Amino acid sequence: MAPPVELTTRPPAIGWQLPAFYCPITPAIHPDAARLEQRAIAWVDAFGLYENETDRAWGIATHSTDFSCRLIPDGDEEKLLLFILWNHWAFALDDTVHDTGSVSATTARVVDFNSRVARCLETPGAALLGPGPLTTALDDLVTRTRAATTPVELRLVADGLRDWLFGAAWQSGNTERGIMPGLADYVAMRPSINGTRFSLAWSMLARGIEVPPEELYSDGVQALTDVAGFVVSCDNDLFSYAKEDDQEALEQNLVNVLAHERGCSPQEALADAVAVRDRTMGLFLRLREQLAASAGPELLRYLEALGHYIVGCVQWMNTAPRYASPRNRHPLPVPGATWGITWRDTPTDPSTDPLPVPAAAWWWQQLDG
Amino acid sequence: MAPPVELTTRPPAIGWQLPAFYCPITPAIHPDAARLEQRAIAWVDAFGLYENETDRAWGIATHSTDFSCRLIPDGDEEKLLLFILWNHWAFALDDTVHDTGSVSATTARVVDFNSRVARCLETPGAALLGPGPLTTALDDLVTRTRAATTPVELRLVADGLRDWLFGAAWQSGNTERGIMPGLADYVAMRPSINGTRFSLAWSMLARGIEVPPEELYSDGVQALTDVAGFVVSCDNDLFSYAKEDDQEALEQNLVNVLAHERGCSPQEALADAVAVRDRTMGLFLRLREQLAASAGPELLRYLEALGHYIVGCVQWMNTAPRYASPRNRHPLPVPGATWGITWRDTPTDPSTDPLPVPAAAWWWQQLDG
């Protein structure tokens, strides 16, 4: 079905030119991305993950391979492929079950579905989901994932999956109740909605990064992980703004959160949103440098992986047709579509003060002195 | 408010005499239970966890100290105390937010509350809950817990907390949608509803059990953990049957699950419920023995802890007024109330075959040969 004409010509409330991105991190991409994409699409087709050619085109337009190969620019190709497949599956789930913007996707149903997904990975053969391509594909992912991981690695993936589903359920609850969260709550929950820990679990796995648990779960590293996830989430909110601006419920994203809280228009909130994001990016860089000074070799690799996650996501969303030619405005993904973003060397907000919300205070408290 | 007269005199559908318990495990209890209970009640009072004397009496009637001291019969007294306080807090939450049996406790609200609780532990100072005694008490628990744990231990507690909240949300979703789960789903989800991993995290913590992660997260040990959690859950379902039989929505418990699935009365389903429980208990004993044969010293201690969990819960619920003099039938807890249970040396169902549901198949597959 073609999008309505009035939408195809209407610019999003924040415009088509995103503010320049402050992201002083060198990007990288896995050299085998092209071959991996062919393998991923063959899998998607073999499992019939998409109902028709149009859905399939939009599935490919997620550029799941590009995303994964930027997050994981080197490492084990088979594990990287598995992560790509999970992402295809997750996007299909996201668009059909989670983040539909429909208030009829009740939290009770989302929670039920999510719980079944989590337990399918944890209890192989549990057969908790009804028949269908999403189920068959998940069964394959579970079998492959369990075969490719040690118990500790599997646990990392399973916890990451649960964390993502946890965030999705919270978001659904707000949609159902007609609630636009405030910044304080949004900061605390947004990294989970983005699946931060799921992506990072795969990054560690595919690259063989084995951070000693006492380091990985230390306050500083956990806070930095949330900080990275929040920056990526802010960027995702900007790139997603257009594609979700026709939903039944106003989309929960940083711009709308700030506009709602401050009683201004999305366009007016945009600069504030970028300031929030840039201030958090500044913290990421400072805290990462501090942690690196006393990090062991594996933690150093993890700190680097967080950087790949941030810059990789910007690069990916800039040219993924999912974001650059949004489905609510285009009948099919536009090849070569791009946001044509620009970059800047300094943050729009150079303040080193904590964001003025309680959940962020703990992030800044990890800084020495 | 006094319970209605017709209820105070009505026996539960499964009667007042529970079938004999098959549980060939030696019970134990921490020697300082009496002193710990005094300290716990002082904390409950200091934080005003209960609104009035009646609620306070029922809070004490949970016998949270007895539960905790049977689960953890030795070990660090301060950590054990902290577990007791968490249990008081969790029971208060359970009775006011989660398992009220009211269909108006929508999943969206439960999920929102749960998400905030989880993040309060993970992000200290996040201030995600509104003012009130439950919040003040949680803040204290978070501060104490973070001070008393290493990063890895904290992670274990936080994951256990999330797992319990995950189960509670799934249960709420069923209540809201008027769904009585089938046995297949119930087996897969019930250990989480019971907070199995939260309790076991504290058992490890207080007793200083440090199982190497590759052992702890191995399939066999994870399956055995679920098996233990399911046995405890079945027992909880029997002891809880009376106290929840007046709720707006029919309570999700093993007896009602089987009665619904088989189209029979709860009384008729009771023997089947005990058979399901005993067959799982038999698996627990066999699988534990098998794992013990090749276990390192710390895993051996964990396997022993699982046994304390099972037998301790039966002993505890037998005499906790929460269960033995249910609030829907008694204006106040009855001192000295007991179910007066009996024991048996053999399972009612001696079959060693797997329960005929997919999620349980994986449990049985962990057995050699």
Side-chain angles (χ1 to χ4, degrees):
Chain A
M1 200 174 66
V5 172
E6 70 275 14
L7 192 61
T8 59
T9 57
R10 172 165 68 80
I14 61 170
W16 284 118
Q17 182 60 56
L18 295 179
F21 282 80
Y22 168 59
C23 191
I25 301 171
T26 307
I29 186 167
H30 199 284
D32 299 323
R35 184 171 68 234
L36 283 162
E37 180 162 41
Q38 292 312 309
R39 294 181 66 189
I41 292 173
W43 181 85
V44 162
D45 288 340
F47 282 89
L49 205 58
Y50 300 107
E51 277 190 15
N52 51 54
E53 282 300 313
T54 305
D55 283 354
R56 177 178 181 274
W58 285 108
I60 294 171
T62 62
H63 278 198
S64 289
T65 302
D66 189 63
F67 162 65
S68 307
C69 288
R70 291 186 183 279
L71 187 59
I72 303 171
D74 51 48
D76 183 86
E77 188 175 322
E78 297 308 312
K79 288 176 184 166
L80 173 52
L81 174 66
L82 203 39
F83 180 50
I84 297 169
L85 305 186
W86 269 105
N87 283 315
H88 270 292
W89 186 86
F91 276 121
L93 174 67
D94 200 39
D95 290 342
T96 55
V97 179
H98 283 169
D99 191 15
T100 62
S102 163
V103 295
S104 73
T106 65
T107 315
R109 284 196 295 137
V110 169
V111 162
D112 182 63
F113 194 90
N114 286 356
S115 306
R116 291 167 186 276
V117 168
R119 292 300 281 166
C120 279
L121 177 58
E122 294 161 4
T123 312
L128 296 169
L129 291 165
L134 267 180
T135 298
T136 320
L138 178 63
D139 286 345
D140 186 59
L141 290 174
V142 167
T143 303
R144 288 172 181 239
T145 301
R146 297 185 69 96
T149 51
T150 66
V152 171
E153 288 172 337
L154 177 64
R155 180 70 178 198
L156 210 56
V157 172
D159 282 350
L161 180 63
R162 278 202 184 203
D163 184 52
W164 170 54
L165 299 170
F166 164 90
W170 185 73
Q171 189 181 41
S172 292
N174 290 334
T175 304
E176 180 181 339
R177 297 188 301 158
I179 287 176
M180 179 61 65
L183 183 62
D185 294 346
Y186 197 66
V187 162
M189 301 295 180
R190 186 64 176 88
S192 294
I193 299 171
N194 214 56
T196 299
R197 282 174 168 76
F198 183 70
S199 291
L200 292 171
W202 281 102
S203 171
M204 286 191 267
L205 215 85
R207 308 180 78 206
I209 301 175
E210 296 185 354
V211 187
E214 290 293 328
E215 271 188 297
L216 182 61
Y217 297 120
S218 67
D219 280 3
V221 176
Q222 287 300 302
L224 187 72
T225 302
D226 277 346
V227 167
F230 188 68
V231 172
V232 171
S233 299
C234 293
D235 292 340
N236 177 257
D237 283 354
L238 296 177
F239 283 108
S240 299
Y241 197 91
K243 88 178 185 61
E244 290 161 345
D245 70 354
D246 63 323
Q247 291 182 348
E248 187 180 356
L250 191 61
E251 177 70 9
Q252 296 162 53
N253 61 46
L254 181 61
V255 173
N256 289 341
V257 161
L258 292 172
H260 180 78
E261 194 158 86
R262 295 169 190 190
C264 66
S265 71
Q267 178 59 39
E268 288 166 331
L270 179 59
D272 278 354
V274 174
V276 163
R277 183 267 184 213
D278 282 3
R279 229 153 105 177
T280 312
M281 183 72 193
L283 171 66
F284 172 78
L285 296 167
R286 291 196 303 284
L287 182 55
R288 185 170 73 152
E289 191 178 353
Q290 173 190 308
L291 294 171
S294 60
E298 294 297 304
L299 178 55
L300 277 177
R301 296 180 67 206
Y302 179 76
L303 298 180
E304 189 200 30
L306 293 177
H308 288 309
Y309 181 41
I310 294 177
V311 69
C313 283
V314 177
Q315 298 268 2
W316 156 60
M317 290 185 286
N318 186 39
T319 57
R322 173 183 172 87
Y323 303 102
S325 60
R327 189 168 185 173
N328 57 0
R329 289 172 169 84
H330 298 272
L332 281 172
V334 177
T338 175
W339 277 90
I341 61 161
T342 58
W343 304 87
R344 51 180 298 151
D345 297 331
T346 55
T348 57
D349 182 346
S351 168
T352 57
D353 291 342
L355 292 180
V357 293
W362 182 69
W363 296 349
W364 264 263
Q365 282 162 20
Q366 306 307 316
L367 289 170
D368 291 337
Chain B
M1 199 174 68
V5 172
E6 70 275 14
L7 192 62
T8 57
T9 56
R10 172 164 69 79
I14 61 170
W16 284 119
Q17 181 60 56
L18 294 179
F21 282 79
Y22 168 59
C23 191
I25 301 170
T26 307
I29 186 167
H30 199 283
D32 299 324
R35 184 171 68 235
L36 283 162
E37 180 161 42
Q38 293 311 310
R39 293 181 66 189
I41 293 173
W43 181 86
V44 162
D45 288 340
F47 282 89
L49 205 58
Y50 301 106
E51 278 189 15
N52 52 52
E53 282 300 312
T54 305
D55 283 355
R56 178 178 181 274
W58 284 108
I60 294 171
T62 62
H63 278 197
S64 289
T65 303
D66 188 63
F67 162 65
S68 308
C69 289
R70 291 184 183 280
L71 186 59
I72 304 171
D74 50 50
D76 182 85
E77 186 174 325
E78 296 308 312
K79 289 176 183 165
L80 172 53
L81 174 66
L82 204 37
F83 180 51
I84 298 168
L85 305 186
W86 269 105
N87 283 314
H88 269 292
W89 186 86
F91 277 120
L93 175 66
D94 201 40
D95 291 342
T96 55
V97 179
H98 284 167
D99 191 17
T100 62
S102 163
V103 295
S104 73
T106 66
T107 315
R109 285 196 294 138
V110 168
V111 162
D112 182 64
F113 193 91
N114 286 356
S115 305
R116 292 167 187 275
V117 169
R119 292 300 281 166
C120 279
L121 177 58
E122 294 161 4
T123 313
L128 297 169
L129 291 165
L134 266 180
T135 298
T136 320
L138 178 63
D139 287 345
D140 186 59
L141 290 175
V142 167
T143 303
R144 287 171 180 239
T145 301
R146 295 186 70 97
T149 52
T150 66
V152 171
E153 288 173 336
L154 177 64
R155 180 72 177 197
L156 210 57
V157 172
D159 283 350
L161 181 62
R162 280 203 185 203
D163 184 52
W164 170 54
L165 299 170
F166 164 92
W170 185 73
Q171 188 180 43
S172 292
N174 291 333
T175 303
E176 181 181 338
R177 298 189 300 160
I179 288 175
M180 179 61 65
L183 183 63
D185 294 346
Y186 197 67
V187 161
M189 302 294 181
R190 186 63 176 91
S192 294
I193 300 171
N194 213 57
T196 299
R197 281 173 168 76
F198 184 70
S199 291
L200 292 171
W202 281 102
S203 170
M204 286 191 267
L205 215 84
R207 308 178 80 205
I209 301 176
E210 295 185 354
V211 186
E214 291 293 328
E215 271 189 296
L216 183 61
Y217 298 120
S218 66
D219 280 4
V221 176
Q222 287 300 302
L224 187 72
T225 301
D226 277 346
V227 167
F230 187 67
V231 172
V232 171
S233 298
C234 292
D235 292 340
N236 177 256
D237 283 354
L238 296 177
F239 283 109
S240 298
Y241 197 91
K243 89 179 184 60
E244 290 160 347
D245 69 354
D246 63 324
Q247 291 182 347
E248 188 179 356
L250 191 62
E251 178 70 9
Q252 297 162 53
N253 61 46
L254 181 62
V255 172
N256 289 340
V257 160
L258 292 173
H260 180 78
E261 195 159 85
R262 296 169 189 189
C264 66
S265 71
Q267 177 61 38
E268 288 166 331
L270 179 59
D272 279 354
V274 174
V276 163
R277 183 266 184 213
D278 281 3
R279 230 153 106 174
T280 313
M281 182 72 195
L283 171 66
F284 173 78
L285 296 168
R286 290 195 304 284
L287 182 54
R288 185 170 74 153
E289 190 177 353
Q290 173 190 307
L291 294 171
S294 60
E298 294 297 304
L299 178 55
L300 277 178
R301 296 181 66 206
Y302 179 75
L303 299 180
E304 188 200 32
L306 294 177
H308 288 310
Y309 182 40
I310 294 176
V311 69
C313 283
V314 177
Q315 298 269 1
W316 156 59
M317 290 186 286
N318 185 39
T319 57
R322 174 183 172 87
Y323 303 102
S325 61
R327 190 168 184 173
N328 58 1
R329 289 173 168 83
H330 298 272
L332 281 171
V334 177
T338 176
W339 277 89
I341 60 162
T342 58
W343 304 87
R344 50 182 297 151
D345 297 331
T346 56
T348 57
D349 182 347
S351 167
T352 57
D353 292 341
L355 291 180
V357 293
W362 182 69
W363 296 349
W364 263 263
Q365 283 161 20
Q366 306 308 316
L367 289 170
D368 291 337

